[in-house]
Amino acid sequence: MSASLESDPILVSYHDSIVRVSNLKTLENSNWLDDNIITFAFEYLQYDSKFTRNYSNIFVFVTPPVVQLIKMSDNLFAEELLQSIDFLEKKFLILPINDNRQVTAFAGSHWSLLILSIQDKILYHFDSMSSANDRTAKDIQDKFRIFFHEQVQLINTRCPQQKNGFDCGLYVIVIVEEFCRFLYENYLSKKSIEENYDKEVFEMFMNEIHQCITSKSISQRRKQLKELLESMILDKKI
């Protein structure tokens, strides 16, 4: 094991996600979340939440590294990657995006969220800093347009806005959690699985998240995620 990995041990291993000491530190106040925390949050939502765990036919979660590879790859390889995800029979593809323009380096300064309504071929963009990630969203739109061999609409939603420069990753996580809860409470728990979830559904969801997502709730979720991970640490002596 390299010296750098020895000094940054794995604290939590959960399904396909790992969280190291350095990752956990990004959940401390005023830090920008890294890939591993978002991947863990998605994995935990997928496997431990009543909103999603029995609905693998509805949601597909794509990890940040895979989204980055789709964005930065040539069109042929991106198409092969999308085919490997096997999502066409599902309802929603969840894609966290950031503005990193490099393939192999950890970089970037802003996270936002794309939700693809698969049957409608509409990408809904939730950006907590207005239009900061428009270019990245359009890059992903282009990849899907090539994959589907037809137009894919991109809609910039009315998204709750962060009041600082570091909470974007938390907004991505919380919006996804709220989206899954919203669908569960309004449709899935009532045994109502729609053929298509149209724009009106997303309009209802946008109205709802403006009521429930606040700066305070984002700060609380940061604290809750940190406490959750600390409770799952493999070696309590670390």
Side-chain angles (χ1 to χ4, degrees):
M1 182 183 293
S2 69
S4 61
L5 292 183
E6 286 180 352
S7 63
D8 192 18
I10 294 174
L11 298 180
V12 175
S13 178
Y14 181 83
H15 291 274
D16 293 329
S17 68
I18 61 169
V19 176
R20 296 181 180 274
V21 170
S22 60
N23 307 134
L24 184 62
K25 287 180 178 177
T26 69
L27 279 167
E28 294 175 357
N29 290 336
S30 304
N31 285 330
W32 189 81
L33 297 196
D34 65 10
D35 292 30
N36 286 31
I37 296 296
I38 293 175
T39 298
F40 167 79
F42 280 14
E43 293 275 297
Y44 194 81
L45 176 62
Q46 185 175 357
Y47 293 107
D48 266 86
S49 170
K50 70 178 182 180
F51 304 144
T52 59
R53 61 174 172 248
N54 294 321
Y55 299 102
S56 59
N57 60 323
I58 301 294
F59 306 102
V60 181
F61 298 86
V62 188
T63 63
V66 174
V67 177
Q68 180 69 5
L69 197 54
I70 292 168
K71 180 182 74 177
M72 299 305 297
S73 296
D74 62 58
N75 292 336
L76 180 60
F77 187 59
E79 189 170 2
E80 291 174 353
L81 275 173
L82 288 170
Q83 287 173 346
S84 73
I85 296 172
D86 190 24
F87 63 91
L88 291 176
E89 300 304 317
K90 311 298 175 68
K91 299 298 183 183
F92 300 107
L93 195 64
I94 311 294
L95 303 129
I97 63 175
N98 72 45
D99 57 358
N100 181 9
R101 308 305 299 178
Q102 303 178 61
V103 178
T104 57
F106 292 104
S109 61
H110 183 54
W111 293 104
S112 62
L113 172 70
L114 287 171
I115 298 178
L116 174 66
S117 180
I118 297 165
Q119 306 308 318
D120 292 334
K121 297 182 179 61
I122 299 175
L123 279 165
Y124 294 89
H125 187 205
F126 295 83
D127 192 335
S128 60
M129 288 187 71
S130 185
S131 57
N133 257 2
D134 273 7
R135 178 184 176 187
T136 301
K138 289 174 181 176
D139 289 341
I140 298 293
Q141 179 190 22
D142 286 342
K143 300 300 185 184
F144 279 106
R145 177 180 53 79
I146 292 166
F147 175 77
F148 284 119
H149 302 288
E150 61 181 281
Q151 286 300 317
V152 174
Q153 187 178 1
L154 176 64
I155 294 177
N156 290 311
T157 69
R158 294 181 291 104
C159 179
Q161 298 293 287
Q162 64 192 83
K163 307 243 181 335
N164 55 48
F166 50 81
D167 270 340
C168 51
L170 266 300
Y171 275 83
V172 167
I173 291 170
V174 172
I175 290 168
V176 172
E177 291 173 340
E178 289 297 324
F179 181 67
C180 295
R181 177 199 59 76
F182 170 82
L183 284 182
Y184 177 83
E185 292 182 351
N186 290 282
Y187 299 96
L188 304 180
S189 65
K190 299 174 182 177
K191 311 298 184 185
S192 174
I193 298 179
E194 302 292 319
E195 182 65 28
N196 290 308
Y197 293 85
D198 59 20
K199 292 178 182 178
E200 288 185 8
V201 172
F202 278 86
E203 188 67 30
M204 288 169 55
F205 175 62
M206 283 182 262
N207 290 336
E208 189 158 317
I209 58 174
H210 274 275
Q211 300 298 318
C212 65
I213 297 180
T214 63
S215 296
K216 183 177 180 180
S217 68
I218 291 292
S219 296
Q220 288 173 339
R221 191 67 186 119
R222 179 185 286 271
K223 181 180 178 182
Q224 289 165 354
L225 271 174
K226 186 170 184 289
E227 290 174 348
L228 172 62
L229 281 163
E230 287 172 341
S231 74
M232 297 171 68
I233 289 175
L234 299 171
D235 184 353
K236 297 295 185 180
K237 296 178 181 178
I238 294 177

